[in-house]
Each structure stands twice: as C-alpha cells, then as structure tokens.
C-alpha cells in the first residue's frame, strides 16, 4: 500500500539556519510528490510538486525539494529559514493508478524557528 | 478572489446533533474532496466527487453523507454527531481527478462536539 513517512515530528532551527525536512514514500512506481505548508489556523498551501523531469524542484517562499528515486525520498530544503516559516509541513504522495487519484499525506513535521 | 471557501469556519455542537459543512470553489475545477484532520494533525481523505459523481468513498461511518449539487459545490452532512467527530475538516479541489495536479485547499472547518 502507498504510504508517506515524515520521520521528524518536530524540528527547531535558528533563524537564518538551513533547513531540511525529510520525506520517504512507499509506492511501486514513480509517484507525484507534493509538499504543503499549514500555518496555525490556516488551510494547506502548496509549496512545490514533482511529477517528472528534473529531480530538483523549486517552490514558493525559497523552498526546494529533491526527488531521489534510489532512496524513495523527497526532502524539502531551504538555505536560510525566516521566523515566518514556522508552521506544519506535510509531504504528500498522489499515486496515479490509472484510476481515481487521491493524496496520501505524511503525519507532518512541525517547524519552530528561534530568533 | 478565486478560492475554495468553507462555511462555517468554527462549529461547536452537542453530541447527537446533525450538522452540515458547506464548500464552494470558483476555480472551475471538476474534482472536489473532503479531508479530515485529527488532533494529531493527521490528514485522511474521506470523499471525492468528480463533476457531481462520487468517485472516492473511504472507510467513513455512514453518518457522514456528502452531497454535490453541482461541480462547484461539495457539502458534508453529519448525523448523530459523536465526540470522536471533533476535528478540522478540509475541502479541496483540483482540475481533474487524474494526473498530478496540485490540490487547492479551503481554510478548514473546526468542528467541536461537546
């Protein structure tokens, strides 16, 4: 069955430090991969997505993610974190089975940013 | 503004009541979803409609009944509310049910059953 694992429940970084949030997926083929961000009390906003092609994808707010097929990973990175990046981050897999597509989410990683 | 909008934003109700949550999107999308986010922030799909047709129906108690009067609207009706139904319910839409389109989410409805 398809699944998404975000190993880190909670991460704290200092403002200006680099960030990497981990995501591993389980799926028999190359899936569609997404990162969403949820600020407190808000809905989910799409940061970036990977479908095919270049394995390094750029997103909004200075985020990027790299797809590594050999590791079944799609880690999210940002070179310099801002205090406003504090939020919950969700990795999601949208498997395409030829049928009805649905997003399967990881459990989320809560990012705290110290000044 | 183009968006997915949900009403109400907050809903507090007693056990046993029946309530509805409404969702509308003006993005011209064909496919809409309901997701439930529990207290641990875990998101799980409940239902999906494509152009008014139910296409995904996960393992959800039959007290939950979605209705899509047209492709721009997807409502969720919940009968006989239970304490365990307390959660944040998100509506989402995407252009089509196939392919790798991203989902656009509403801002959520926080349901509290007391």
């Amino acid at each position: 069955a398809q699944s998404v694992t975000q190993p880190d429940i909670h991460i704290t970084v200092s403002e200006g430090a680099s960030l990497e949030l981990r995501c591993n997926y389980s799926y028999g083929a190359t899936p569609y991969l997404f990162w969403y961000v949820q600020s407190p009390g808000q809905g989910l906003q799409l940061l970036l997505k990977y479908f095919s092609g270049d394995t390094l994808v750029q997103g909004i707010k200075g985020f990027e993610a790299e797809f590594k097929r050999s590791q079944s990973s799609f880690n999210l990175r940002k070179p310099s974190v801002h205090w406003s990046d504090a939020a919950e981050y969700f990795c999601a897999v949208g498997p395409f089975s030829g049928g009805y597509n649905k997003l399967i989410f990881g459990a989320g990683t809560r990012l705290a940013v110290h000044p | 503004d183009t968006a997915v909008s949900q009403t109400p934003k907050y809903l507090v109700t007693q056990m046993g009541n029946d309530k509805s949550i409404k969702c509308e999107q003006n993005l011209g999308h064909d496919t809409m979803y309901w997701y439930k986010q529990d207290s641990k922030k875990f998101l799980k799909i409940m239902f999906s409609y494509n152009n008014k047709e139910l296409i995904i129906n996960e393992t959800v108690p039959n007290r939950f009944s979605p209705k899509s009067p047209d492709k721009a609207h997807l409502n969720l009706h919940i009968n006989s509310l239970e304490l365990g139904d307390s959660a944040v319910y998100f509506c989402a839409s995407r252009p089509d049910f196939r392919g790798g389109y991203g989902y656009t989410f509403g801002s959520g409805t926080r349901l509290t059953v007391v």
Side-chain angles (χ1 to χ4, degrees), chain A residues 32 34 36 38 41-44 46 49 51 88 90 94 96 98-107 110, chain B residues 9 33 35 37 40-43 45 53 55-56 58 90 94 97-108:
Chain A
Y32 299 109
F34 305 82
Y36 281 85
Q38 182 180 25
Q42 301 297 313
L44 286 86
L46 180 65
K49 57 191 177 186
F51 296 159
E88 192 91 24
F90 293 94
F96 180 65
Y100 302 121
N101 202 321
K102 61 183 180 183
L103 275 183
I104 297 173
F105 285 88
R110 176 163 292 184
Chain B
K9 191 171 176 65
Y33 300 80
Y35 275 80
Q37 186 175 47
K40 295 185 178 178
K41 300 287 188 180
F42 186 68
L43 282 149
I45 188 169
E53 178 188 352
I55 58 172
I56 294 176
E58 294 290 296
F90 285 101
R94 65 203 301 258
F97 65 87
R98 297 181 186 271
Y101 299 107
Y103 290 44
T104 302
F105 283 83
S107 57

Side-chain angles (χ1 to χ4, degrees), chain B residues 29 36 39:
Chain B
H29 292 173
K36 179 180 180 181
S39 58

Side-chain angles (χ1 to χ4, degrees), chain B residues 2 4 16 24 27-28 32 47-48 51 54 59 64 73 75 85 94 96 101-102 105 108:
Chain B
T2 54
V4 178
E24 175 182 6
L27 298 163
M32 296 183 72
F47 302 103
S48 178
N51 205 3
L54 179 67
T59 307
F64 290 79
H73 295 84
N75 304 324
D85 298 331
R94 65 203 301 258
D96 191 85
Y101 299 107
F105 283 83

